[in-house]
Amino acid sequence: MSEPSVGVRRPVWRSAMVGRDPEEGHRAATPLELLFDLCFVVAVAQAAVSLHHALAEAHVGAGLVGYAMVFFAIWWAWMNFTWFASAYDTDDVLYRLLVLVQISSVLILAAGVPRAFEYKDFGLVTLGYVVMRLAMVALWLRAAREDRARRRVALRYALGITVVQAGWIARLALPESTGLASFLVLVAAELATPLWAERSLTTTWHSSHIAERYSLLTIIVLGESILSATVAVQAGLDGEAPTSTMLTIALSGLVIVFSMWWLYFAHPAEKILTSNRVAFPWGYGHYLIFASAAAVGAGLAVSVDHASGKSHLGDFATTTALTAPVAVFVLSLWLVHARPHHPGPLITAAFLAAPVLILATPFTPFPLPLTALIMAALTAASGRGTARTR
């Protein structure tokens, strides 16, 4: 009888939750982690669609703030589980049940996203988020009991997460005028918890496994942007928009998204993830990468709405709704993912010049094709630089 494929294991009722070997060979994402990612993308899609509607209605400021807040909840819950699973994935029955609780909770969060955007009602989003985080507390408490060597680290995580969740619940009772300020305070507390917990001793996360998990979510988020653009173009073609305009948006969008994929995977992350000193800024910086990648889909949808006469935005604001997230993606990708590889002065100059040029395209008659051309040129330059380095 053949052995199960890598990453697929038969769960047992109970196994010891101790730190896994960070040098373990052939460490791959598990089917449960893939299911986890797919369910999180439901929430990402809801956030992107809500951003699209807010921008199309010319509610730019409220839409961007709401998107940043909701996306933080989605990304932070995903990231915390991902790093925990890299160190403590036992894949037994109890572990699976707690992960399924988190998956169910993200669906609750996703259901609350439209209300958060439209009515600034964060009750359902907060409920889903807090339940997810409390499931993580249960996992950390189990790790504290069974991994004696890292008991202090696990207890710090459990305590920090619990205190911050109490803050999120209390925030619902605060007046609306304090909403953004209280959100930023709690975000700072969330971000500080791992830094405090692992100050003296680190968890045994696996660099290749972490790199793969981030790569998989990048692919899924980019795929969501393609889906959003495809649905929008289909709706536009069924309306009265010129076919040539729709084809321009579609082709430009494809080139942009394909270039984003190419640029992200030009540099293998596992080679630089050697310590928490590198891993923390790398992991945290992906908030901008993921959020901007998802926002590109919203920007493409807004462009289609504008071409169809369904948007309240002007020409400049419409094109900026797409070019701005593309520029943020390029710059954040450079700072977080490409720069640590020391690609050389030529590639550095290309990465720094590209966002400036992309942000300038709305001042031209052909902003989307020019943005696509800049992304393609950056991809070509980055590919040549990577080949020379290798």
PDB file of all heavy atoms in Angstrom, residues 1-18:
ATOM      1  N   MET A   1       0.846  -1.197   0.000  1.00  0.00           N
ATOM      2  CA  MET A   1       0.000   0.000   0.000  1.00  0.00           C
ATOM      3  C   MET A   1       0.881   1.247   0.000  1.00  0.00           C
ATOM      4  O   MET A   1       1.840   1.312   0.741  1.00  0.00           O
ATOM      5  CB  MET A   1      -0.913   0.003   1.225  1.00  0.00           C
ATOM      6  CG  MET A   1      -1.883   1.189   1.263  1.00  0.00           C
ATOM      7  SD  MET A   1      -2.997   1.133   2.690  1.00  0.00           S
ATOM      8  CE  MET A   1      -3.941  -0.325   2.245  1.00  0.00           C
ATOM      9  N   SER A   2       0.545   2.222  -0.861  1.00  0.00           N
ATOM     10  CA  SER A   2       1.368   3.427  -0.963  1.00  0.00           C
ATOM     11  C   SER A   2       1.164   4.316   0.249  1.00  0.00           C
ATOM     12  O   SER A   2       0.130   4.291   0.902  1.00  0.00           O
ATOM     13  CB  SER A   2       0.998   4.201  -2.237  1.00  0.00           C
ATOM     14  OG  SER A   2      -0.344   4.603  -2.183  1.00  0.00           O
ATOM     15  N   GLU A   3       2.199   5.111   0.535  1.00  0.00           N
ATOM     16  CA  GLU A   3       2.137   6.039   1.651  1.00  0.00           C
ATOM     17  C   GLU A   3       1.296   7.260   1.292  1.00  0.00           C
ATOM     18  O   GLU A   3       1.188   7.633   0.125  1.00  0.00           O
ATOM     19  CB  GLU A   3       3.558   6.502   2.015  1.00  0.00           C
ATOM     20  CG  GLU A   3       4.417   5.402   2.610  1.00  0.00           C
ATOM     21  CD  GLU A   3       3.896   4.968   3.965  1.00  0.00           C
ATOM     22  OE1 GLU A   3       3.388   5.824   4.721  1.00  0.00           O
ATOM     23  OE2 GLU A   3       3.983   3.767   4.248  1.00  0.00           O
ATOM     24  N   PRO A   4       0.661   7.891   2.283  1.00  0.00           N
ATOM     25  CA  PRO A   4      -0.085   9.114   1.993  1.00  0.00           C
ATOM     26  C   PRO A   4       0.840  10.183   1.434  1.00  0.00           C
ATOM     27  O   PRO A   4       2.026  10.210   1.727  1.00  0.00           O
ATOM     28  CB  PRO A   4      -0.640   9.532   3.368  1.00  0.00           C
ATOM     29  CG  PRO A   4      -0.585   8.293   4.200  1.00  0.00           C
ATOM     30  CD  PRO A   4       0.584   7.504   3.686  1.00  0.00           C
ATOM     31  N   SER A   5       0.295  11.075   0.602  1.00  0.00           N
ATOM     32  CA  SER A   5       1.106  12.143   0.021  1.00  0.00           C
ATOM     33  C   SER A   5       1.531  13.122   1.093  1.00  0.00           C
ATOM     34  O   SER A   5       0.953  13.202   2.156  1.00  0.00           O
ATOM     35  CB  SER A   5       0.299  12.875  -1.068  1.00  0.00           C
ATOM     36  OG  SER A   5      -0.858  13.441  -0.508  1.00  0.00           O
ATOM     37  N   VAL A   6       2.582  13.891   0.771  1.00  0.00           N
ATOM     38  CA  VAL A   6       3.119  14.857   1.723  1.00  0.00           C
ATOM     39  C   VAL A   6       2.044  15.871   2.080  1.00  0.00           C
ATOM     40  O   VAL A   6       1.330  16.391   1.222  1.00  0.00           O
ATOM     41  CB  VAL A   6       4.338  15.564   1.111  1.00  0.00           C
ATOM     42  CG1 VAL A   6       4.800  16.679   2.026  1.00  0.00           C
ATOM     43  CG2 VAL A   6       5.452  14.568   0.881  1.00  0.00           C
ATOM     44  N   GLY A   7       1.915  16.182   3.370  1.00  0.00           N
ATOM     45  CA  GLY A   7       0.947  17.168   3.823  1.00  0.00           C
ATOM     46  C   GLY A   7      -0.388  16.572   4.206  1.00  0.00           C
ATOM     47  O   GLY A   7      -1.234  17.254   4.767  1.00  0.00           O
ATOM     48  N   VAL A   8      -0.637  15.271   3.902  1.00  0.00           N
ATOM     49  CA  VAL A   8      -1.895  14.631   4.235  1.00  0.00           C
ATOM     50  C   VAL A   8      -1.640  13.603   5.317  1.00  0.00           C
ATOM     51  O   VAL A   8      -0.853  12.678   5.150  1.00  0.00           O
ATOM     52  CB  VAL A   8      -2.519  13.945   2.997  1.00  0.00           C
ATOM     53  CG1 VAL A   8      -3.824  13.263   3.374  1.00  0.00           C
ATOM     54  CG2 VAL A   8      -2.743  14.962   1.892  1.00  0.00           C
ATOM     55  N   ARG A   9      -2.324  13.757   6.443  1.00  0.00           N
ATOM     56  CA  ARG A   9      -2.116  12.854   7.571  1.00  0.00           C
ATOM     57  C   ARG A   9      -3.453  12.379   8.099  1.00  0.00           C
ATOM     58  O   ARG A   9      -4.450  13.077   8.019  1.00  0.00           O
ATOM     59  CB  ARG A   9      -1.353  13.575   8.697  1.00  0.00           C
ATOM     60  CG  ARG A   9       0.067  13.923   8.362  1.00  0.00           C
ATOM     61  CD  ARG A   9       0.668  14.787   9.450  1.00  0.00           C
ATOM     62  NE  ARG A   9       0.197  16.155   9.318  1.00  0.00           N
ATOM     63  CZ  ARG A   9       0.337  17.073  10.264  1.00  0.00           C
ATOM     64  NH1 ARG A   9       0.893  16.782  11.403  1.00  0.00           N
ATOM     65  NH2 ARG A   9      -0.100  18.300  10.077  1.00  0.00           N
ATOM     66  N   ARG A  10      -3.450  11.176   8.644  1.00  0.00           N
ATOM     67  CA  ARG A  10      -4.658  10.677   9.280  1.00  0.00           C
ATOM     68  C   ARG A  10      -4.686  11.182  10.713  1.00  0.00           C
ATOM     69  O   ARG A  10      -3.756  10.935  11.481  1.00  0.00           O
ATOM     70  CB  ARG A  10      -4.665   9.144   9.266  1.00  0.00           C
ATOM     71  CG  ARG A  10      -4.733   8.530   7.869  1.00  0.00           C
ATOM     72  CD  ARG A  10      -4.922   7.022   7.967  1.00  0.00           C
ATOM     73  NE  ARG A  10      -4.974   6.422   6.657  1.00  0.00           N
ATOM     74  CZ  ARG A  10      -3.929   5.920   6.025  1.00  0.00           C
ATOM     75  NH1 ARG A  10      -2.744   5.953   6.612  1.00  0.00           N
ATOM     76  NH2 ARG A  10      -4.053   5.375   4.838  1.00  0.00           N
ATOM     77  N   PRO A  11      -5.749  11.902  11.094  1.00  0.00           N
ATOM     78  CA  PRO A  11      -5.763  12.471  12.442  1.00  0.00           C
ATOM     79  C   PRO A  11      -5.984  11.400  13.499  1.00  0.00           C
ATOM     80  O   PRO A  11      -6.702  10.428  13.290  1.00  0.00           O
ATOM     81  CB  PRO A  11      -6.947  13.437  12.378  1.00  0.00           C
ATOM     82  CG  PRO A  11      -7.873  12.831  11.375  1.00  0.00           C
ATOM     83  CD  PRO A  11      -6.979  12.197  10.343  1.00  0.00           C
ATOM     84  N   VAL A  12      -5.354  11.587  14.641  1.00  0.00           N
ATOM     85  CA  VAL A  12      -5.611  10.754  15.806  1.00  0.00           C
ATOM     86  C   VAL A  12      -6.409  11.598  16.789  1.00  0.00           C
ATOM     87  O   VAL A  12      -6.541  12.809  16.641  1.00  0.00           O
ATOM     88  CB  VAL A  12      -4.292  10.275  16.450  1.00  0.00           C
ATOM     89  CG1 VAL A  12      -3.524   9.394  15.490  1.00  0.00           C
ATOM     90  CG2 VAL A  12      -3.426  11.467  16.858  1.00  0.00           C
ATOM     91  N   TRP A  13      -6.980  10.950  17.795  1.00  0.00           N
ATOM     92  CA  TRP A  13      -7.786  11.706  18.744  1.00  0.00           C
ATOM     93  C   TRP A  13      -6.948  12.702  19.522  1.00  0.00           C
ATOM     94  O   TRP A  13      -7.364  13.823  19.766  1.00  0.00           O
ATOM     95  CB  TRP A  13      -8.489  10.745  19.700  1.00  0.00           C
ATOM     96  CG  TRP A  13      -9.232  11.477  20.785  1.00  0.00           C
ATOM     97  CD1 TRP A  13      -8.926  11.556  22.108  1.00  0.00           C
ATOM     98  CD2 TRP A  13     -10.408  12.288  20.613  1.00  0.00           C
ATOM     99  NE1 TRP A  13      -9.826  12.348  22.769  1.00  0.00           N
ATOM    100  CE2 TRP A  13     -10.756  12.820  21.872  1.00  0.00           C
ATOM    101  CE3 TRP A  13     -11.202  12.622  19.503  1.00  0.00           C
ATOM    102  CZ2 TRP A  13     -11.848  13.648  22.073  1.00  0.00           C
ATOM    103  CZ3 TRP A  13     -12.288  13.451  19.708  1.00  0.00           C
ATOM    104  CH2 TRP A  13     -12.602  13.953  20.977  1.00  0.00           C
ATOM    105  N   ARG A  14      -5.753  12.309  19.871  1.00  0.00           N
ATOM    106  CA  ARG A  14      -4.945  13.173  20.722  1.00  0.00           C
ATOM    107  C   ARG A  14      -3.471  12.902  20.486  1.00  0.00           C
ATOM    108  O   ARG A  14      -3.046  11.748  20.419  1.00  0.00           O
ATOM    109  CB  ARG A  14      -5.274  12.900  22.184  1.00  0.00           C
ATOM    110  CG  ARG A  14      -4.551  13.751  23.185  1.00  0.00           C
ATOM    111  CD  ARG A  14      -5.192  15.083  23.339  1.00  0.00           C
ATOM    112  NE  ARG A  14      -4.642  15.809  24.482  1.00  0.00           N
ATOM    113  CZ  ARG A  14      -5.024  17.002  24.855  1.00  0.00           C
ATOM    114  NH1 ARG A  14      -5.988  17.606  24.196  1.00  0.00           N
ATOM    115  NH2 ARG A  14      -4.474  17.616  25.877  1.00  0.00           N
ATOM    116  N   SER A  15      -2.683  13.945  20.319  1.00  0.00           N
ATOM    117  CA  SER A  15      -1.235  13.809  20.244  1.00  0.00           C
ATOM    118  C   SER A  15      -0.616  15.000  20.957  1.00  0.00           C
ATOM    119  O   SER A  15      -1.255  16.034  21.140  1.00  0.00           O
ATOM    120  CB  SER A  15      -0.757  13.747  18.783  1.00  0.00           C
ATOM    121  OG  SER A  15      -1.132  14.901  18.077  1.00  0.00           O
ATOM    122  N   ALA A  16       0.628  14.851  21.372  1.00  0.00           N
ATOM    123  CA  ALA A  16       1.279  15.893  22.157  1.00  0.00           C
ATOM    124  C   ALA A  16       1.530  17.134  21.303  1.00  0.00           C
ATOM    125  O   ALA A  16       2.060  17.041  20.197  1.00  0.00           O
ATOM    126  CB  ALA A  16       2.591  15.375  22.720  1.00  0.00           C
ATOM    127  N   MET A  17       1.141  18.291  21.825  1.00  0.00           N
ATOM    128  CA  MET A  17       1.369  19.551  21.125  1.00  0.00           C
ATOM    129  C   MET A  17       2.696  20.141  21.600  1.00  0.00           C
ATOM    130  O   MET A  17       2.765  20.904  22.564  1.00  0.00           O
ATOM    131  CB  MET A  17       0.226  20.536  21.370  1.00  0.00           C
ATOM    132  CG  MET A  17       0.406  21.872  20.649  1.00  0.00           C
ATOM    133  SD  MET A  17      -1.047  22.941  20.751  1.00  0.00           S
ATOM    134  CE  MET A  17      -2.031  22.256  19.412  1.00  0.00           C
ATOM    135  N   VAL A  18       3.754  19.745  20.944  1.00  0.00           N
ATOM    136  CA  VAL A  18       5.083  20.273  21.227  1.00  0.00           C
ATOM    137  C   VAL A  18       5.603  20.928  19.957  1.00  0.00           C
ATOM    138  O   VAL A  18       5.110  20.688  18.867  1.00  0.00           O
ATOM    139  CB  VAL A  18       6.044  19.164  21.707  1.00  0.00           C
ATOM    140  CG1 VAL A  18       5.587  18.607  23.040  1.00  0.00           C
ATOM    141  CG2 VAL A  18       6.149  18.050  20.669  1.00  0.00           C
TER     142      VAL A  18
END
